[in-house]
Amino acid sequence: MEQQYVIRGGKPLCGEVFVNGSKNAALGILAAAVMADENVTIDNIPDVQDINTLLDVIAKTGAMVKRIDRHKVMINGSTINNVEVKYNEMREIRGSYYLLGALLGKYRHSVVTLPGGCNIGSRPIDQHIKGFRALGAEVWIEGGNVIADAPKLVGSHIYLDMVSVGATINIMLAAALAEGKTVIENAAKEPHITDCANFLNAMGANIKGAGTDVIRIKGVSKLHGAEYSVIPDQIETGTFMMAAAVTRGDILIRNVIPKHLDSVSSKLREIGCDVYEYDDSIRVKCKNRTTHTHIKTLPYPGFPTDMQPQMAVALALSQGTSIVTESIFDNRFKYVDELVKMGAQIKVESNVAIIDGVMGLTGATLNALDLRAGAALVLAALTARGTTYLEKVCFVKRGYEDFDAKLRSLGAQIYLATNERELEKYSMIVLGDDRDKFRPEPERIMSQSKED
Ligand code: EPZ
């Protein structure tokens, strides 16, 4: 049996929760770490599937990968003996493509299996390739692999045709060890771009302007060891903010950078939630039914595409009609069919979802579909009347550490069933309240005393 969540909705989530390190920053940083021939220690990495897959792949290059504790790893790239990282695992994650830029920068040659990742639309890598070519590499695709080869890497002026997180980081990696100066124009500005640049600078790179749309890189001849701590995950933060909103709860989310959530905080305030920002925490409180709004996903600092499904759940329960426009990926509304099974009223036309808010949702058997869709469906289930069985939990585990345990600590009834027996057990637990209601009084008393 594939793992699934058994979820019983209806309780407001209240309390405190800690956010882990940013998955998407850590993917870039871990790949960058192989560029030094000295020990690099990276702290605050989340213990999630995508990160663990990348660490396995990095180990296959011959680099030393030593897990110091659950959230800390030491990498030393001096022992690398294989720059042709052609493995099946690479097709499961997106971040594996950062090894292309990292190894190309360091060894002037790399072969990487074409990356996979969440199925949220076509995800070309033409801008990565354009950037490497501008630096002097020959790049071609053969047998499902991307091959990059450069007798010499020379800094260049690169204009990205669209704002791309992956291309910005990948070009930054290769350019950090190229000869001369590289300018990336129309660069992505996401917090993880700045975090990767800060990490590369901590290893001796010379990168300026990360966090703006022009990044200037002066190539250096080598990178050295460093110790670094990854920034908190703004999407995990946003997901818990949304959990407070949809369950009409009150959650204090700790270990966050509130600035990274500006667009999410604004939208939550707009629909009627209270959002309080502190130095490194955010509290979201929601007492009443929320109201409609419109959102359009945009590159940072716009509303993140990775929060679009979770926000749609909030709007599906808000009074009035909301419009959600997805402008980053061309197929990120697949979860809508699952929400409709729960009673949501949503119509999708091309990249626009029109949402008529309903008073409540009902539990159903659902498929997580992808990482953020899965998280959004968990949120929907936590508001729903009845029990939800969420299949393909593996998607959620790619990017959320201990998601079910964290939600339980806030009062949620969510259990991870890994086999049929657990499925039956958790179904009984979540159904417990209802069964008690219908059981005759004496039996209830007897079974209670047995449990005691
Ligand atoms: C990163 O994906 C994230 N993944 C995604 O997070 C996130 O949704 C996305 O950025 C946008 O913020 C990682 O960091 C591993 P892009 P990435 O390059 O790098 C087009 C999650 O849930 N494009 O910024 O793949 C592309 O098709 C995941 O954590 C090209 O056309 O995103 C898309 O429409 C899902 N050619 C847009 O640009 C290219 O060469 C933005 O993509 C590159 C991108």
Side-chain angles (χ1 to χ4, degrees):
M1 189 196 96
E2 282 197 59
Q3 299 190 353
Q4 50 181 286
Y5 285 141
V6 182
I7 306 166
R8 177 81 175 180
K11 288 195 178 168
L13 300 197
C14 297
E16 284 185 26
V17 68
F18 276 82
V19 160
N20 289 104
S22 161
K23 166 185 78 88
N24 288 343
L27 288 169
I29 288 171
L30 292 171
V34 306
M35 297 170 75
D37 280 340
E38 294 172 6
N39 287 347
V40 177
T41 308
I42 304 155
D43 204 353
N44 205 31
I45 55 165
D47 183 11
V48 295
Q49 193 53 49
D50 277 18
I51 295 295
N52 296 331
T53 304
L54 181 63
L55 286 173
D56 287 347
V57 172
I58 290 176
K60 288 182 179 177
T61 65
M64 186 198 81
V65 177
K66 189 172 163 204
R67 198 87 181 215
I68 295 170
D69 63 36
R70 190 174 182 198
H71 299 122
K72 196 174 193 174
V73 69
M74 188 164 81
I75 293 178
N76 188 319
S78 63
T79 48
I80 290 179
N81 51 23
N82 171 25
V83 294
E84 304 212 344
V85 274
K86 301 183 278 188
Y87 301 104
N88 269 342
E89 304 95 292
M90 314 271 292
R91 286 194 276 126
E92 289 161 22
I93 58 170
R94 197 81 200 145
S96 55
Y97 57 21
Y98 293 137
L99 285 174
L100 193 64
L103 296 172
L104 176 69
K106 190 177 180 193
Y107 298 107
R108 306 303 196 235
H109 178 74
S110 60
V111 181
V112 164
T113 303
L114 272 167
C118 284
N119 182 6
I120 48 183
S122 95
R123 299 178 75 177
I125 57 163
D126 55 302
Q127 299 304 303
H128 305 232
I129 294 175
K130 171 179 163 174
F132 297 146
R133 285 188 179 143
L135 297 175
E138 272 192 55
V139 189
W140 68 101
I141 294 176
E142 203 178 281
N145 302 309
V146 196
I147 302 163
D149 191 68
K152 238 170 115 133
L153 273 187
V154 182
S156 179
H157 203 108
I158 300 157
Y159 176 85
L160 295 179
D161 298 329
M162 77 274 303
V163 178
S164 160
V165 170
T168 304
I169 292 181
N170 231 343
I171 296 167
M172 218 162 61
L173 295 175
L177 287 175
E179 290 168 31
K181 193 168 161 185
T182 297
V183 179
I184 309 174
E185 285 204 65
N186 199 26
K189 297 182 282 211
E190 270 68 5
H192 32 298
I193 306 284
T194 314
D195 208 32
C196 278
N198 288 343
F199 170 66
L200 284 162
N201 285 342
M203 290 200 300
N206 185 340
I207 302 175
K208 296 206 165 86
T212 76
D213 50 16
V214 183
I215 300 180
R216 293 168 202 281
I217 304 156
K218 272 193 197 149
V220 296
S221 56
K222 90 195 252 214
L223 298 173
H224 53 69
E227 284 191 17
Y228 198 78
S229 183
V230 176
I231 52 166
D233 197 302
Q234 84 265 33
I235 305 302
E236 187 190 2
T237 308
T239 304
F240 283 113
M241 292 169 78
M242 232 34 99
V246 298
T247 64
R248 296 192 201 165
D250 184 351
I251 305 180
L252 180 67
I253 307 149
R254 291 192 178 276
N255 182 36
V256 308
I257 300 176
K259 178 88 196 126
H260 293 167
L261 275 307
D262 276 354
S263 60
V264 175
S265 300
S266 302
K267 282 293 164 188
L268 282 177
R269 287 189 181 112
E270 227 174 277
I271 64 173
C273 301
D274 294 324
V275 182
Y276 308 94
E277 293 175 20
Y278 308 101
D279 287 349
D280 60 359
S281 56
I282 294 186
R283 178 177 168 202
V284 178
K285 195 169 128 190
C286 185
K287 279 267 164 290
N288 303 312
R289 186 174 182 213
T290 46
T291 54
H292 62 106
T293 188
H294 302 325
I295 65 157
K296 181 174 183 180
T297 62
L298 288 168
Y300 188 82
F303 192 90
T305 174
D306 293 347
M307 283 302 302
Q308 181 261 101
Q310 301 91 312
M311 184 73 194
V313 172
L315 299 178
L317 290 160
S318 296
Q319 173 272 321
T321 302
S322 303
I323 296 177
V324 174
T325 308
E326 171 57 55
S327 70
I328 308 290
F329 291 109
D330 54 25
N331 194 9
R332 213 168 190 176
F333 282 130
K334 281 186 299 175
Y335 66 88
V336 164
D337 287 344
E338 303 299 283
L339 283 182
V340 168
K341 286 182 199 162
M342 303 178 84
Q345 286 187 19
I346 308 177
K347 273 198 194 120
V348 176
E349 280 170 23
S350 161
N351 67 332
V352 176
I354 302 149
I355 305 178
D356 284 319
V358 294
M359 292 299 287
L361 300 172
T362 47
T365 297
L366 307 172
N367 182 328
L369 297 164
D370 68 62
L371 169 57
R372 308 304 171 187
L377 294 172
V378 168
L379 299 188
L382 290 172
T383 72
R385 191 158 45 80
T387 306
T388 294
Y389 295 92
L390 184 66
E391 297 172 343
K392 299 270 177 208
V393 162
C394 51
F395 287 118
V396 180
K397 292 178 123 195
R398 292 177 59 162
Y400 291 89
E401 182 179 316
D402 296 339
F403 196 39
D404 52 322
K406 287 184 185 187
L407 289 167
R408 272 197 306 280
S409 77
L410 296 168
Q413 276 194 292
I414 172 170
Y415 300 96
L416 178 69
T418 57
N419 55 46
E420 299 287 350
R421 262 191 33 221
E422 285 180 1
L423 187 63
E424 201 180 323
K425 179 175 93 183
Y426 294 136
S427 302
M428 306 262 278
I429 290 176
V430 298
L431 281 174
D433 297 347
D434 281 357
R435 292 202 172 177
D436 277 353
K437 232 183 332 199
F438 298 118
R439 262 195 285 167
E441 201 65 21
E443 194 190 334
R444 248 158 74 187
I445 294 164
M446 267 170 60
S447 70
Q448 261 176 19
S449 59
K450 257 189 232 150
E451 274 158 26
D452 293 347

